[in-house]
Amino acid sequence: MCEFCHKHGEGRKWYLEASNYSEDLLSDVRRRRFIERFFTDPGSIRDATSSIGTIAKLPRLIRNAVYRAAAGRMKKIHYGQVVPLEEIRQIFGFVNSIVRVACMCRHYTLGAEKRFCYGVSMAPAGGYLGDLVRGASGRPVSGPYASGLEQMTREEALDAFEDHERQGMCHTVWTFHTPFICGICNCDRKGCIAVRAITEHELPTMFRAEHVAVVSPDSCSGCRKCSRLCQFGAIAFDPSVMKAVIDPARCFGCGICRSMCSSEAIRLLDRSEVPEAAGLW
Ligand code: SF4
Ligand code: SF4
């Protein structure tokens, strides 16, 4: 279990606790302001990206200290965790509304509107985010990320997530002043700043999933489809046996490789069952 499970889930998976999505947590004024700023200020992504670039140029020891401090701050405010599709289904089973919004990372990195991000709420009709966009909160917001808020049924949202999974994107939950969760994203290295921060700069922005993927060599046909889509570079190919090999120390447990494998050679294990990965978050 990651540290959020201990702090915010009483030893269970914190992102499966409905209380961490509750409207009660939204009575916190600082949290509301943070959400408003998040959806209205394109400059925050630009500033974060340029800070990461500046810190990356520092000497290694200083850089690592700065990254640790930055990760500690982010854990209090806006931090993520990778969650496989079966647990996204569980989350969609207890939230009362799901809305799709434009991805601010892709808006910045690709200069294009990509609708890969979802707001979830225990309240109907988009909850607080819906109220903000409609002006019902008294502080209407607008802008590239809040425009075109699409309300979706659970079934429509799950179909969309299955589609994102087929495109190789991993699913991540995000806090808005921890432990409150109201965002679920679909991330890849190409467009997602949080994944890039991890893979290019070793800056922690999210926890790994509570799972790790393993290959059953007897079932693997050696097609290599899985390795092409792993966003974390965790899958190698062993030419001596013509099989895929997953490095548990690099695996984030997203399950995308499992979906890609038509031979059903990949399964997800609980992280605690894999000694090399059990303490890695
Ligand atoms: S997709 Fe499946 S069959 Fe193909 S290399 Fe990966 S594990 Fe093996
Ligand atoms: S090996 Fe599979 S489960 Fe692990 S990070 Fe890569 S795609 Fe995700």
Side-chain angles (χ1 to χ4, degrees), residues 215 219-226 244 260-261 263 265-266:
V215 177
S219 306
C220 175
S221 68
C223 70
R224 303 196 200 198
K225 268 193 224 152
C226 54
M260 290 306 127
C261 181
S263 304
I266 301 180

Side-chain angles (χ1 to χ4, degrees), residues 5-26:
C5 292
H6 294 293
K7 279 189 195 156
H8 308 298
E10 296 183 1
R12 298 183 295 268
K13 291 173 183 163
W14 68 286
Y15 51 82
L16 295 181
E17 295 294 310
S19 58
N20 288 330
Y21 299 74
S22 75
E23 289 291 286
D24 271 3
L25 291 174
L26 270 174

Side-chain angles (χ1 to χ4, degrees), residues 213 229-232 234-235 246 250-257 268:
L229 278 172
C230 177
Q231 303 300 326
F232 301 96
I235 309 180
I246 294 177
R250 299 183 74 145
C251 174
F252 270 62
C254 65
I256 300 301
C257 53
L268 288 186

